[in-house]
Amino acid sequence: MKFVDEATITVEAGKGGNGCLSFRREKFIPKGGPDGGDGGDGGSIFVEADESLNTLIDYRFTRRYNAQNGQGGASRNCTGSKGEDLVLKVPVGTTVVDVDTNEVLADMTHIGQREKVAQGGWHGLGNTRFKSSVNRTPRQTTKGSEGELRNLRLELKVLADVGLLGLPNAGKSTLIRSISAAKPKVADYPFTTLVPNLGVVRTEAHRSFVVADIPGIIEGAAEGAGLGIRFLKHLARNRVLLHLVDMAPWDETTPAEAAVTAVRELEKFSETLAAQPRWLVLNKLDMLPEEEQDAACQAVIEALGWEGPVYRVSALNKTGLTPLVHDLQEFLDARAEAIAENPELLDEERRIRAIIDEEARENLRRLRAEMRARREAEDDLDDDDFDDDDYDIEVEYVR
């Protein structure tokens, strides 16, 4: 099936029912007075986080959703029935953005969360409402109001504590296979990972964290090379990034050059994301002669001007992974305890994520505009011929 992490839809809430203009008419009861009932409210539209979903594929085929209109009022003071609400199920981790105002309407971060994204129209009033001592036969009614119409962009970001960053063939998939039960595809050629994979790392009873493996980026990704930068947005919710560097690259690129390339593309995508906690993981050291390992590692550290944590591992042989996993768990537990003691830290974290999201959207809009312009110049295609579906990959989503 397709893994779709972004979709644009139009939603329209139901219109409120009109009020009724009616007068009581019964045998032997002349001039019975007004008895027009109110209309019913229009149905609203909600989004709800569903644990059984992991892609937005359904919203690529159906792009318009309408809630039910409210029923009009009737005589004998009968109120019209309310329009039925419409609930759109989305995966956990979906952000709902108003396309026209760029306002974030909802951030679906936990199972069962439900948020209103379009308000239904209010009911109209029947003429009974306007009866008074000086107006015994009112002929005034009001119409129901229109429901909200919104163009929404659904953005899915996988929920994980740790994100893996690196060029293709850096060993990200091998690492997640070695420390968790996830089994993403591993092969000896680049771009074996085409969609994000999630793995749960259990360090001991009741202690675990989630790792996200995203497709590798290459030089020029910010200009659309390779799979581009569209998957980097899945790192926005991570509390720490692991920058994997292939110490025995398959091409002529040196490990230092590869490390600098990954950081450069990350900064082009979002400078705020690039400034978040990041650890350096030097992978595949078992493929280097022992006497060359120190010099190779030092070259990468100097090229990056690195001053943070450094781990030397071999994901395939599981060498050096135990200290890495243990330190990650301690870091995440300490962060959780700090947030519990000071809730303002969580507000700050959300503010930073909002900045990252906005930077990511701006860069993705720029990238799509440039790709559309190139297509028009090369193939003389209309805007209508450009569709994000062209960039989806027909693969199985592994979780």
Side-chain angles (χ1 to χ4, degrees), residues 79-138:
T79 300
S81 61
K82 181 183 182 299
E84 186 175 351
D85 293 334
L86 178 63
V87 180
L88 305 178
K89 300 294 184 69
V90 297
V92 179
T94 300
T95 302
V96 183
V97 182
D98 189 309
V99 173
D100 301 314
T101 64
N102 216 31
E103 175 189 2
V104 177
L105 302 179
D107 193 7
M108 316 303 289
T109 57
H110 58 270
I111 297 171
Q113 180 181 354
R114 179 180 288 196
E115 302 288 347
K116 184 186 295 184
V117 294
Q119 173 64 52
W122 302 109
H123 62 268
L125 302 179
N127 64 334
T128 302
R129 295 280 192 172
F130 298 93
K131 178 181 177 181
S132 68
S133 60
V134 296
N135 187 8
R136 299 298 181 90
T137 58

Side-chain angles (χ1 to χ4, degrees), residues 6-33:
E6 189 168 314
T8 301
I9 62 174
T10 300
V11 298
E12 184 174 6
K15 178 183 180 297
N18 297 330
C20 176
L21 174 61
S22 174
F23 293 93
R24 186 178 179 189
R25 292 291 183 266
E26 291 186 33
K27 192 175 182 179
F28 307 122
I29 306 179
K31 299 180 181 179

Side-chain angles (χ1 to χ4, degrees), residues 93-97 104 106-107 153-155 157 237 357 361:
T94 300
T95 302
V96 183
V97 182
V104 177
D107 193 7
R153 184 170 60 252
L154 307 179
E155 301 174 350
K157 304 180 188 71
R237 299 179 187 271
D357 287 344
R361 292 188 194 106

Side-chain angles (χ1 to χ4, degrees), residues 195-324:
V195 297
N197 297 306
L198 294 177
V200 178
V201 181
R202 301 189 182 279
T203 54
E204 57 185 77
H206 308 297
R207 292 185 75 195
S208 63
F209 58 88
V210 180
V211 179
D213 168 27
I214 69 166
I217 57 175
I218 63 175
E219 186 172 5
E223 283 71 46
L227 294 177
I229 55 176
R230 56 171 287 194
F231 288 112
L232 283 177
K233 65 184 178 183
H234 294 283
L235 301 178
R237 299 179 187 271
N238 303 150
R239 284 182 169 161
V240 59
L241 301 181
L242 295 186
H243 180 182
L244 263 71
V245 179
D246 183 355
M247 300 304 293
W250 55 276
D251 57 9
E252 297 180 356
T253 304
T254 66
E257 292 172 344
V260 172
T261 296
V263 173
R264 186 185 302 122
E265 296 300 326
L266 180 64
E267 291 173 344
K268 289 181 181 178
F269 175 75
S270 170
E271 293 184 358
T272 306
L273 178 59
Q276 298 310 297
R278 191 166 78 248
W279 297 1
L280 184 62
V281 179
L282 306 178
N283 191 25
K284 302 185 184 181
L285 281 174
D286 57 315
M287 299 181 66
L288 289 179
E290 193 169 330
E291 61 274 10
E292 297 180 9
Q293 292 181 6
D294 290 340
C297 293
Q298 190 61 33
V300 173
I301 293 172
E302 291 177 356
L304 292 174
W306 191 260
E307 297 179 355
V310 179
Y311 294 86
R312 302 184 181 188
V313 305
S314 171
L316 182 62
N317 296 336
K318 300 185 178 181
T319 304
L321 297 184
T322 300
L324 173 61

